[in-house]
């Protein structure tokens, strides 16, 4: 079935073009960030609700109270119905939220405001919810964590009262393709791949955390569509191709059928090596704790990046040491006897954590994020290292620890010393900032290992915000400047006899994986879904071929040339259909 824009029926609209006409048979071109194809009706993510104005309501107080009670009951009923359809944590969360919707204190306070101040029910509820949130915050602990739920309930009841769509990811049982301006990592993490078949966003780049999560969930995703998302009418069927970045409007039944076929992924034997036996550890990136078991089942040799902040993205307050011990312990238990690289909280930029990050930064990606947060909140790092050491002592996984966003030699030194105080001997750093790559030699004279975060290293080398769809063409680790910094880092590692891994998304691209090995990278960590393809390519490629592909790519002047030249030098790619 042709999808060429030249087939006479189709027109192609790039993300840059504005589009206010709806036509059939149109191809929208965005940036494919999570491979795979899916077809389904589109559902738009509703925006959050606005604060209702403070003014006297013309309605009689009894009418307003009745409207409020009905709205609260409708929201609670809807949440209870959703709770019945799921199990485990999701069920608990929905049941708790349903309880808040009919909480007597909340509703009594709102009723009082209606009666005494004659405000609208939505305004009264807004104010009552604010008062409850303040009380919860003051109580701290479990209650402080419910503040987000109070706001969620408030928005749902206000939406019901004012007749606007309920904010957040729509709760439907029939599968759909989700369309959003942008999606926070915390929202993406909760998507159910059985229901959300595909993801389309106007914003976002290939290494945004939303894209990373979509990949780990196996949800095909296209980002950076810009204004073209306006062409996606509600419930209109589309085909999403998360590899090529194409969104097809009004597909034929055959195209829908083809996109809906599921393909079996290549499996992994559990030992990565080139065809001539050069060992390359193939590890998994793990975010939420629940991803650990499937990653182990996929044959990962260990965990190369455990993004601990993903466990606590929904928190307004620091998780307790006990909670942390439990979360880390679950991942360590899944990888008994194997290596697990735990990264300390990488809070900041698109993963803000209210207890760690300042809210008034103009450039949060260049702000107090990652390891830098420990300068202002040293105790949070201390507590996390205590939790990691406690979990490590209770399990037989080999625990390595690393800090994100290290920029200077002195920071590596500080982190290694902090880990040593907790008995954590294998302490390393992430190389995500060009300064760290350039100083890899002295940094690795202190740190036991380095792990290159190519997502941020690319962002900071090209000065291109990884969240900006408009800059997606710059967000590629194939840029020879990025490759050169990776080589410099590996040279620093070799000079100090220290391993240098890659745990950014680059490791999941088979061609890039071979180039990384050629540059001297010793381990590759990726979404477990990519392990089979990367392992297959390495198993069919010699170290010499990897080195040659790397040298050729380094000799080019731009990312496209680097990619094409390297691919030409890796014949196994075509043989394996990669
Ligand atoms: C990276 O920057 O490449 C990385 C692995 O860290 P994160 O994507 O979580 O920022
Ligand atoms: Mg990073």
């Amino acid at each position: 079935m042709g999808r060429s824009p030249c087939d006479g029926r189709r027109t192609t609209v790039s993300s840059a073009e504005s589009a206010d006409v709806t036509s059939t048979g149109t191809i929208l071109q965005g940036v494919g960030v999570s491979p795979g194809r899916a077809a389904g009706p589109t559902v738009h993510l509703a925006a959050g609700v606005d604060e209702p104005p403070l003014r006297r309501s013309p309605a009689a107080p009894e009418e307003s109270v009745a409207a409020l009670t009905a709205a609260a009951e409708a929201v609670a009923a809807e949440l209870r119905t959703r709770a019945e359809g799921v199990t485990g944590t999701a069920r608990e969360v929905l049941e708790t939220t349903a309880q808040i919707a009919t909480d007597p204190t909340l509703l009594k306070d709102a009723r009082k405001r209606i009666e005494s101040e004659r405000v609208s029910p939505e305004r009264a509820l807004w104010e009552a919810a604010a008062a409850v949130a303040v009380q919860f915050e003051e109580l701290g602990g479990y209650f402080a964590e419910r503040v987000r739920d109070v706001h969620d309930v408030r928005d749902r009841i206000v939406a019901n009262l004012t007749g606007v769509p309920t904010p957040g990811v729509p709760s439907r049982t029939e599968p759909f393709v989700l369309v959003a301006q942008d999606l926070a990592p915390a929202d993406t993490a909760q998507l159910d791949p059985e229901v959300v078949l595909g993801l389309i966003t106007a914003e976002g780049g290939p290494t945004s955390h939303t894209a990373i999560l979509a990949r780990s969930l196996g949800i095909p995703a296209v980002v950076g569509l810009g204004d073209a998302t306006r062409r996606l009418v509600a419930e209109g069927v589309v085909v999403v191709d998360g590899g090529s970045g194409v969104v097809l409007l009004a597909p034929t039944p055959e195209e829908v059928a083809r996109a809906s076929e599921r393909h079996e992924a290549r499996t992994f034997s559990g030992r990565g090596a080139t065809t001539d036996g050069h060992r390359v550890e193939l590890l998994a990136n793990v975010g939420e704790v629940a991803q650990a078991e499937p990653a182990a089942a996929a044959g990962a040799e260990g965990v190369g990046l455990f993004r601990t902040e993903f466990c606590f993205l929904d928190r307004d307050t620091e998780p307790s040491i006990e909670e942390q011990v439990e979360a880390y312990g679950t991942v360590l238990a899944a990888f008994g006897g194997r290596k697990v690289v735990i990264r300390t909280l990488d809070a900041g930029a698109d993963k803000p954590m209210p207890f760690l990050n300042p809210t008034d930064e103009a450039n949060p990606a260049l702000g107090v994020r990652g390891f830098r947060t420990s300068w202002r909140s040293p105790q949070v790092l201390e507590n996390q290292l205590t939790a990691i050491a406690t979990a490590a002592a209770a399990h037989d996984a080999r625990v390595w620890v690393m800090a994100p966003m290290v920029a200077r030699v002195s920071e590596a030194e500080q982190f290694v010393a902090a880990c040593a105080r907790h008995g954590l001997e294998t302490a390393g750093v992430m190389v995500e900032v060009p300064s760290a790559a350039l100083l890899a030699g002295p940094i690795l004279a202190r740190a036991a290992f380095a792990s290159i975060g190519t997502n941020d290293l690319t962002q900071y080398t090209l000065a291109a915000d990884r969240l900006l769809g408009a800059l997606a063409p710059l967000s590629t680790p194939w840029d020879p400047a990025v490759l050169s910094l990776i080589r410099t880092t590996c040279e620093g590692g070799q000079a100090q006899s220290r391993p240098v891994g890659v745990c950014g998304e680059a490791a999941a691209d088979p061609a890039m994986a071979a180039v990384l090995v050629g540059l001297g990278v010793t381990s590759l960590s990726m979404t477990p879904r990519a392990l089979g393809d990367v392992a297959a390519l390495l198993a069919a490629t010699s170290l010499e071929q990897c080195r040659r592909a790397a040298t050729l790519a380094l000799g080019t002047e731009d990312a496209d040339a680097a990619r094409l030249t390297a691919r030409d030098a890796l014949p196994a790619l075509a043989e394996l259909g990669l």
Side-chain angles (χ1 to χ4, degrees):
M1 190 64 46
R3 337 208 122 95
S4 147
C6 313
D7 69 3
R9 187 173 79 87
R10 301 263 150 81
T11 51
T12 304
V13 179
S14 80
S15 57
E17 279 176 62
S18 79
D20 25 40
V21 191
T22 303
S23 70
T24 57
T26 299
I27 286 171
L28 306 180
Q29 183 67 56
V31 183
V33 296
S34 177
R37 294 199 296 156
T42 59
V43 172
H44 289 250
L45 184 85
V49 299
D50 293 330
E51 178 173 345
L54 173 59
R55 58 169 174 250
R56 243 177 121 81
S57 165
E62 312 78 66
E63 274 174 37
S64 295
V65 169
L68 174 66
T69 313
E73 267 162 18
V75 166
E78 201 242 310
L79 290 167
R80 276 195 296 267
T81 310
R82 277 177 60 196
E84 277 160 23
V86 291
T87 52
T89 319
R91 184 176 194 134
E92 279 167 35
V93 169
L94 288 167
E95 281 171 354
T96 312
T97 319
Q99 271 169 19
I100 296 176
T102 47
D103 178 64
T105 321
L106 177 71
L107 296 181
K108 201 166 136 199
D109 184 354
R111 270 200 296 273
K112 263 210 231 144
R113 289 170 197 270
I114 291 172
E115 282 154 7
S116 60
E117 294 159 34
R118 295 293 171 96
V119 289
S120 65
E122 55 273 18
R123 177 71 201 185
L125 185 87
W126 191 275
E127 290 178 5
V132 171
V134 169
Q135 279 170 18
F136 277 16
E137 250 154 28
E138 279 168 5
L139 287 168
Y142 170 85
F143 284 99
E145 278 153 27
R146 301 279 78 76
V147 169
R148 201 175 277 260
D149 301 340
V150 172
H151 289 153
D152 181 34
V153 162
R154 175 199 68 190
D155 290 352
R156 288 171 184 279
I157 299 178
V158 170
N160 181 296
L161 283 163
T162 52
V164 300
T166 307
V169 178
S171 55
R172 297 178 27 140
T173 40
E174 316 81 58
F176 61 94
V177 172
L178 183 64
V179 182
Q181 183 65 23
D182 202 359
L183 211 53
D187 289 331
T188 314
Q190 283 167 19
L191 298 181
D192 175 358
E194 292 297 317
V195 183
V196 181
L197 300 173
L199 198 58
I200 302 172
T201 65
E203 301 288 334
T207 57
S208 66
H209 286 98
T210 292
I212 291 169
L213 284 164
R215 269 195 292 280
S216 73
L217 291 165
I219 300 178
V222 173
V223 302
L225 260 195
D227 284 347
T229 47
R230 282 196 270 142
R231 287 201 158 199
L232 301 166
V233 289
E235 302 294 338
V237 172
V238 296
V239 165
V240 184
D241 186 330
S244 65
V246 160
V247 175
L248 178 59
L249 305 191
T252 62
E254 296 79 32
E255 286 167 330
V256 169
R258 271 189 29 180
S260 306
E261 282 167 15
R262 302 263 162 163
H263 296 284
E264 288 299 314
R266 265 194 190 95
T267 53
F268 174 48
S269 70
R271 194 181 147 83
T274 58
T275 192
D276 48 344
H278 174 73
R279 269 287 278 146
V280 183
E281 265 184 317
L282 297 183
L283 309 160
N285 288 352
V286 167
E288 284 185 77
V289 164
Q291 292 173 352
E293 281 284 352
E301 295 186 53
V303 174
L305 169 63
F306 175 15
R307 289 181 166 101
T308 55
E309 68 281 358
F310 276 22
C311 304
F312 307 113
L313 276 183
D314 57 344
R315 295 305 177 79
D316 292 332
T317 52
E318 183 190 355
S320 69
I321 293 180
E322 294 71 35
E323 276 176 282
Q324 294 189 57
V325 172
E326 194 184 325
Y328 309 154
T330 309
V331 174
L332 299 184
F335 281 89
R338 288 182 260 179
K339 170 168 123 183
V340 175
V341 185
I342 304 184
R343 176 172 78 180
T344 54
L345 294 172
D346 183 23
D350 65 331
K351 296 176 292 189
M353 304 192 112
F355 57 94
L356 274 177
N357 300 112
T359 51
D360 54 353
E361 291 180 334
N363 295 307
L366 300 181
V368 182
R369 62 166 292 203
F371 179 67
R372 300 165 182 192
T373 59
S374 68
W375 303 337
R376 294 161 54 130
S377 315
Q379 197 54 43
V380 176
L381 177 62
E382 282 297 305
N383 292 346
Q384 184 170 27
L385 294 178
T386 304
I388 294 172
T390 311
H395 293 88
D396 69 349
R398 286 181 289 125
V399 176
W400 293 19
V401 191
M402 67 181 179
M405 281 291 289
V406 165
R408 295 175 296 168
V409 178
S410 59
E411 295 167 26
E413 210 162 71
Q414 282 163 23
F415 183 69
V416 171
C419 290
R421 286 197 297 276
H422 290 269
L424 296 162
E425 296 304 334
T426 314
V429 297
M430 288 196 71
V431 171
E432 310 187 88
V433 182
S435 60
L438 295 168
L439 290 174
I443 284 180
L444 283 162
R446 276 83 173 173
F449 67 97
S451 183
I452 306 176
T454 44
N455 308 331
D456 276 320
L457 187 60
T458 303
Q459 148 162 280
Y460 296 125
T461 304
L462 277 298
D465 187 338
R466 62 195 267 193
L467 304 177
L468 269 190
L471 297 183
L474 279 78
S475 277
T476 164
W478 283 104
D479 194 286
V482 178
L483 297 178
S484 175
L485 287 169
I486 295 172
R487 183 185 55 180
T488 303
T489 311
C490 292
E491 285 169 353
Q494 280 150 10
Q496 303 295 336
S497 305
R498 302 291 200 203
V500 173
V502 166
C503 62
E505 294 307 293
D509 167 354
M512 176 54 95
V515 167
L516 293 172
V517 170
L519 290 171
V521 164
T522 55
S523 67
L524 298 166
S525 190
M526 64 201 78
T527 177
R529 287 168 200 279
L531 286 166
D533 284 346
V534 169
L537 193 266
L538 292 183
T541 305
S542 67
L543 177 58
E544 199 38 50
Q545 283 176 311
C546 293
R547 288 191 175 139
R548 192 174 129 71
T551 306
L552 289 170
L554 274 172
T556 62
E557 293 181 359
D558 64 51
D560 285 344
R563 188 169 160 276
L564 292 175
T565 318
R567 288 188 66 90
D568 276 352
L570 297 166
L573 284 169
E575 287 154 24
L576 294 163
L578 297 168

